[in-house]
Amino acid sequence: MINTQLEKATTFKRKQKKSLQDITAPVKGSLSEFRTFYKKALRTDVWVLDKVVQYLLRQKGKEIRPTLVFMSARLFGEVNKRSYVAATMIELLHTATLIHDDVVDEAEVRRGFLSINKVWNNKAGVLLGDFLLSKGLLTALDHEEYKLLKVLSEAVRQMSEGELRQFKAARLFNMDEEYYFKVISEKTASLIASCCECGAISTTDNPKMHKKMHNIGKWTGIAFQIRDDIFDYGVNDIGKPKRNDIQERKVTLPFIKALDNASTMEKVRARYLMRKRRKKKADVDKIVSFVHDKGGVKYARSIMNDYANRALETLAELPESEDRAAFEDLIKFIIERKK
């Protein structure tokens, strides 16, 4: 936990904001090669499964995780086959978790497309997720990348534990700030930490650099998740239904801090509204207003910036280079993005 005064929160300013396309230009060629590698890993001779996979491949995301692998690798050497193996393993794992999440959450949309479980059914979603996980394991074994497999297996364990912690807290409605950071460290930051660590492993044998990149990824991942949580209390649609977390009764940092700053009666009212399974628009608007009025969003932004600063300060310990500058821009983009 970071003890940070709000008035000292850092904000990142640049003369001209760079787009994600500009920032990732140094690894554009690597991303193109990765897509070919990734598609090969998904090949199957099962007709029905192949149809589902082809549908899945149309749902192209921002490719933040493969990008982190390649940008981390370039800090210590040239992107190579190990880098592509790492990126493919991570993308398979990440996609599997998204599909399983859609089944659990009964989601209907993913990246502007109907979700796999909506087009087919929950069973197909679970089986496809299992298929992707198995492909990730086989990718590591086929290339004898046991160290990468160990790192990602640890990430899978942490992600699973984070999901279960969140599930337990949601049922009991006892999420506090310390528990929240435990959940997002496991559920989100562990995979981003693995991206950076695996990228470094692919181009350097220095364990100190592996650990350094793991920490940079962890802190970047925490900032990334807080940014997502702030979106639900803003005015921007980020590719999922507005106020989705609120509708699903997910308690995140802005709401937690707002409760800390509220009176006893205000806490009772806010908790009552958040616990409602079917919220009217007026209920959601009241929750959003409450969180803003009690400084929840402002506080969350300050903590997000603190974690981003940790990542940037550690990154600054590496030799200055264009690749380091690009990585710094990516961290800034993550906390400044509008969707």
Side-chain angles (χ1 to χ4, degrees), residues 175-286:
M175 181 79 81
D176 59 19
E177 192 168 340
E178 181 178 359
Y179 202 85
Y180 166 83
F181 278 104
K182 182 69 174 175
V183 167
I184 68 171
S185 293
E186 293 174 335
K187 188 180 168 187
T188 302
S190 62
L191 186 57
I192 293 181
S194 296
C195 292
C196 297
E197 183 175 358
C198 287
I201 288 172
S202 74
T203 52
T204 177
D205 293 327
N206 188 335
K208 290 183 179 180
M209 293 301 103
H210 301 166
K211 179 64 176 177
K212 187 183 292 289
M213 293 308 299
H214 178 93
N215 287 336
I216 289 171
K218 178 182 178 180
W219 296 325
T220 299
I222 290 174
F224 180 94
Q225 185 58 57
I226 295 174
R227 187 70 184 110
D228 261 6
D229 293 340
I230 290 173
F231 277 129
D232 219 46
Y233 292 92
V235 295
N236 294 306
D237 191 332
I238 58 171
K240 61 181 181 179
K242 287 186 177 182
R243 318 302 187 196
N244 197 48
D245 288 348
I246 297 173
Q247 290 289 3
E248 294 178 3
R249 309 190 300 165
K250 291 182 181 178
V251 175
T252 57
L253 185 58
F255 187 77
I256 292 168
K257 189 58 182 180
L259 287 179
D260 288 345
N261 295 336
S263 66
T264 300
M265 285 306 299
E266 288 171 331
K267 289 179 183 178
V268 170
R269 293 193 197 100
R271 286 195 175 110
Y272 167 75
L273 290 173
M274 183 62 83
R275 287 175 180 173
K276 289 179 69 173
R277 290 187 179 276
R278 295 187 178 182
K279 299 179 181 69
K280 298 178 181 178
K281 183 178 183 302
D283 296 329
V284 174
D285 290 343
K286 287 178 182 178

Side-chain angles (χ1 to χ4, degrees), residues 26-226:
V27 295
K28 183 178 179 180
S30 298
L31 286 170
S32 179
E33 184 71 22
F34 154 75
R35 293 178 197 118
T36 300
F37 204 103
Y38 183 65
K39 288 177 182 178
K40 286 182 180 178
L42 286 173
R43 284 179 181 170
T44 173
D45 57 5
V46 179
W47 184 84
V48 175
L49 184 55
D50 184 62
K51 290 297 180 184
V52 182
V53 167
Q54 292 306 313
Y55 181 78
L56 175 68
L57 288 171
R58 292 167 57 194
Q59 304 174 23
K60 184 175 175 292
K62 293 185 178 68
E63 299 179 321
I64 291 291
R65 288 157 188 83
T67 296
L68 282 167
V69 172
F70 299 135
M71 294 184 82
S72 297
R74 286 171 62 93
L75 291 171
F76 307 99
E78 293 295 325
V79 171
N80 53 48
K81 187 176 180 180
R82 296 190 76 190
S83 309
Y84 292 121
V85 170
T88 300
M89 290 170 61
I90 288 169
E91 191 68 3
L92 287 166
L93 168 60
H94 174 59
T95 306
T97 61
L98 293 181
I99 293 170
H100 282 162
D101 284 349
D102 286 345
V103 173
V104 172
D105 298 337
E106 298 180 345
E108 298 186 355
V109 178
R110 169 66 62 183
R111 293 171 177 167
F113 289 80
L114 290 176
S115 61
I116 299 294
N117 51 292
K118 182 66 176 178
V119 175
W120 283 271
N121 53 39
N122 284 343
K123 185 175 181 180
V126 171
L127 291 175
L128 179 61
D130 292 345
F131 170 76
L132 296 176
L133 286 171
S134 68
K135 281 291 188 177
L137 296 174
L138 288 171
T139 297
L141 295 175
D142 288 345
H143 294 87
E144 299 183 350
E145 290 292 356
Y146 304 115
K147 189 165 187 176
L148 296 178
L149 180 58
K150 182 178 180 180
V151 171
L152 289 181
S153 295
E154 175 62 21
V156 172
R157 181 189 68 79
Q158 290 189 43
M159 291 166 70
S160 300
E161 290 180 352
E163 287 283 0
L164 290 170
R165 286 184 203 278
Q166 186 177 56
F167 177 73
K168 178 183 176 183
R171 286 176 63 88
L172 299 176
F173 279 93
N174 62 350
M175 181 79 81
D176 59 19
E177 192 168 340
E178 181 178 359
Y179 202 85
Y180 166 83
F181 278 104
K182 182 69 174 175
V183 167
I184 68 171
S185 293
E186 293 174 335
K187 188 180 168 187
T188 302
S190 62
L191 186 57
I192 293 181
S194 296
C195 292
C196 297
E197 183 175 358
C198 287
I201 288 172
S202 74
T203 52
T204 177
D205 293 327
N206 188 335
K208 290 183 179 180
M209 293 301 103
H210 301 166
K211 179 64 176 177
K212 187 183 292 289
M213 293 308 299
H214 178 93
N215 287 336
I216 289 171
K218 178 182 178 180
W219 296 325
T220 299
I222 290 174
F224 180 94
Q225 185 58 57
I226 295 174

